[in-house]
């Protein structure tokens, strides 16, 4: 048996598909509370009808109305584990003088920030795509008086999710940044990588997108759907895995080496389609928050130009 077939067999073995429908947008999303966090930062709690619960969002508010919004997603733990842009980078200082609202949702660990087709015994009702593309932006626009223009960025697990959300959200996001992640395809290797994230959180990949390689998987295949990113500002960054000056924290060279290869492959796909993108392949960097922080700093001017 080839390696790819073995991966697919393993994924199929753990999948037990349960019937279910996809959530639709509900106009009932609303702010349930706000807690000041110092300066222009606040925790804004938003009720999600799609998920039937309140989601915390760390927000850095712009100095006045009419600013665009950057939705900034974190890694595999969803930020609830205390590992996030908010906790591990200079995000509050960096954006303090930028005319932009920065919204950092807390939650979504091991979910790929997508809509799962069925509720899962381990992770519950997962409708992050609906929340991030249909519910939260309207609430933020109303609460902060934005200009209605948005960018989305993700790192590690959420890098591929940011690309998928930029595709699924249509005109919702004018710009996207994918940092140190692994964009997926609905092929055996891509299925195995995406499924591994759900399994790490105790979830069943069959409850996420159904039969491996089936229609819902193909709908979220960012390589197959890359053409739908045309017209958006796209920033891609990853490194080789070799430790470097920007690294801070525990280095994870193998993860970054894989991310570097995946990101380069996706940049190649965009080039094949004639879609412009900025692709930064760093000679050093080993999947640390120091590297991610440097990448966000470099990505911001490209994102800002598209949404300001």
């Amino acid at each position: 048996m080839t390696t790819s077939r073995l991966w697919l067999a393993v994924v199929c073995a753990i999948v037990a598909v349960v019937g279910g429908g996809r959530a639709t947008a509900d106009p009932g999303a609303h702010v349930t509370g706000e807690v000041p966090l110092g300066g222009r930062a606040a925790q804004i709690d938003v009720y999600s009808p799609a998920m039937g619960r309140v989601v915390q969002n760390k927000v850095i508010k712009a100095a006045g109305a009419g600013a665009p919004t950057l939705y900034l997603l974190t890694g595999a733990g969803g930020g609830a584990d205390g590992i996030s842009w908010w906790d591990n980078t200079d995000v509050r200082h960096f954006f303090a003088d930028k005319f932009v609202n920065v919204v950092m949702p807390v939650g979504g660990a091991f979910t790929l920030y997508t809509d799962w087709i069925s509720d899962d015994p381990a992770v519950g009702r997962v409708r992050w795509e609906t929340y991030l593309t249909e519910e939260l932006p309207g609430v933020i626009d109303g609460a902060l008086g934005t200009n209605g223009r948005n960018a989305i960025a993700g790192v590690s697990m959420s890098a591929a999710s940011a690309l998928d959300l930029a595709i699924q959200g249509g005109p919702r996001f004018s710009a996207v940044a994918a940092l140190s992640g692994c964009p997926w395809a609905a092929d055996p290797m891509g299925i195995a990588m995406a499924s591994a994230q759900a399994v790490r959180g105790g979830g069943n990949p069959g409850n996420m997108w159904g039969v491996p390689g089936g229609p819902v998987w193909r709908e979220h295949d960012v390589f197959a759907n890359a053409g739908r990113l045309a017209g958006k500002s796209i920033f891609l960054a990853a490194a080789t895995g070799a430790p470097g000056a920007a690294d801070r924290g525990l280095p994870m060279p193998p993860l970054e080496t894989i991310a570097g290869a995946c990101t380069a492959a996706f940049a190649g796909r965009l080039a094949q389609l004639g879609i412009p993108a900025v692709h930064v392949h760093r000679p050093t960097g080993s999947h640390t928050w120091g590297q991610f922080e440097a990448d966000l700093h470099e990505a911001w001017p490209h994102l800002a130009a598209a949404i300001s």
Side-chain angles (χ1 to χ4, degrees), residues 220-300:
H220 293 280
D221 182 329
V222 297
F223 279 81
N225 294 292
R228 292 163 62 186
L229 291 171
K232 301 179 188 289
S233 177
I234 305 167
F235 183 92
L236 309 171
T240 61
D247 284 324
R248 185 173 67 245
L250 180 66
M252 293 183 280
L255 281 181
E256 192 59 30
T257 300
I258 294 169
C262 291
T263 301
F266 190 69
R269 171 61 174 157
L270 293 173
Q272 181 185 50
L273 294 172
I275 298 175
V278 176
H279 175 214
V280 176
H281 184 68
R282 299 191 184 281
T284 60
S286 55
H287 215 75
T288 64
W289 281 103
Q291 177 199 333
F292 305 155
E293 180 181 279
D295 287 339
L296 180 61
H297 288 191
E298 189 163 349
W300 170 244

Side-chain angles (χ1 to χ4, degrees), residues 74-85 87-88 106-107 109-110 200 289:
T74 194
D81 54 359
I83 301 173
S84 69
W85 293 106
D87 297 292
N88 298 95
V106 179
F110 308 111
R200 282 180 66 192
W289 281 103

Side-chain angles (χ1 to χ4, degrees), residues 33-256:
E34 181 171 336
V35 180
L37 297 176
R40 294 199 304 272
Q43 176 181 302
I44 299 179
D45 298 334
V46 174
Y47 175 72
S48 165
M51 290 193 278
R53 63 183 179 86
V54 173
V55 179
Q56 295 180 359
N57 305 272
K58 299 289 179 62
V59 178
I60 303 168
K61 300 178 184 179
T69 305
L70 169 63
Y71 291 88
L72 193 53
L73 306 180
T74 194
D81 54 359
I83 301 173
S84 69
W85 293 106
W86 178 266
D87 297 292
N88 298 95
T89 74
D90 69 347
V91 66
R92 279 169 280 182
H93 174 75
F94 179 72
F95 285 106
D97 62 348
K98 311 293 191 295
F99 191 58
V100 63
N101 302 294
V102 182
V103 179
M104 295 163 278
V106 179
F110 308 111
T111 65
L112 298 186
Y113 290 105
T114 189
D115 279 4
W116 288 36
I117 64 172
S118 300
D119 293 352
D120 186 272
V123 298
R125 176 160 295 175
V126 179
R127 302 289 188 271
W128 280 98
E129 179 187 314
T130 297
Y131 179 69
L132 290 166
T133 64
E134 300 180 32
E135 295 178 340
L136 182 60
V139 172
I140 292 296
D141 289 348
L144 303 184
T146 76
N147 70 356
R149 295 182 64 80
N150 309 296
I152 189 165
V155 65
S156 194
M157 177 195 78
S158 67
S161 302
L163 291 168
D164 185 39
L165 289 163
I167 291 169
Q168 305 301 332
R172 174 68 73 187
F173 301 108
S174 301
V176 58
L179 312 177
S180 292
C182 203
W184 55 70
D187 60 12
M189 192 59 69
I191 291 167
M193 288 189 298
S195 295
Q197 298 292 343
V199 172
R200 282 180 66 192
N204 184 330
N207 289 330
M208 183 171 69
W209 289 335
V211 177
V216 183
W217 282 87
R218 293 194 298 273
E219 180 182 337
H220 293 280
D221 182 329
V222 297
F223 279 81
N225 294 292
R228 292 163 62 186
L229 291 171
K232 301 179 188 289
S233 177
I234 305 167
F235 183 92
L236 309 171
T240 61
D247 284 324
R248 185 173 67 245
L250 180 66
M252 293 183 280
L255 281 181
E256 192 59 30

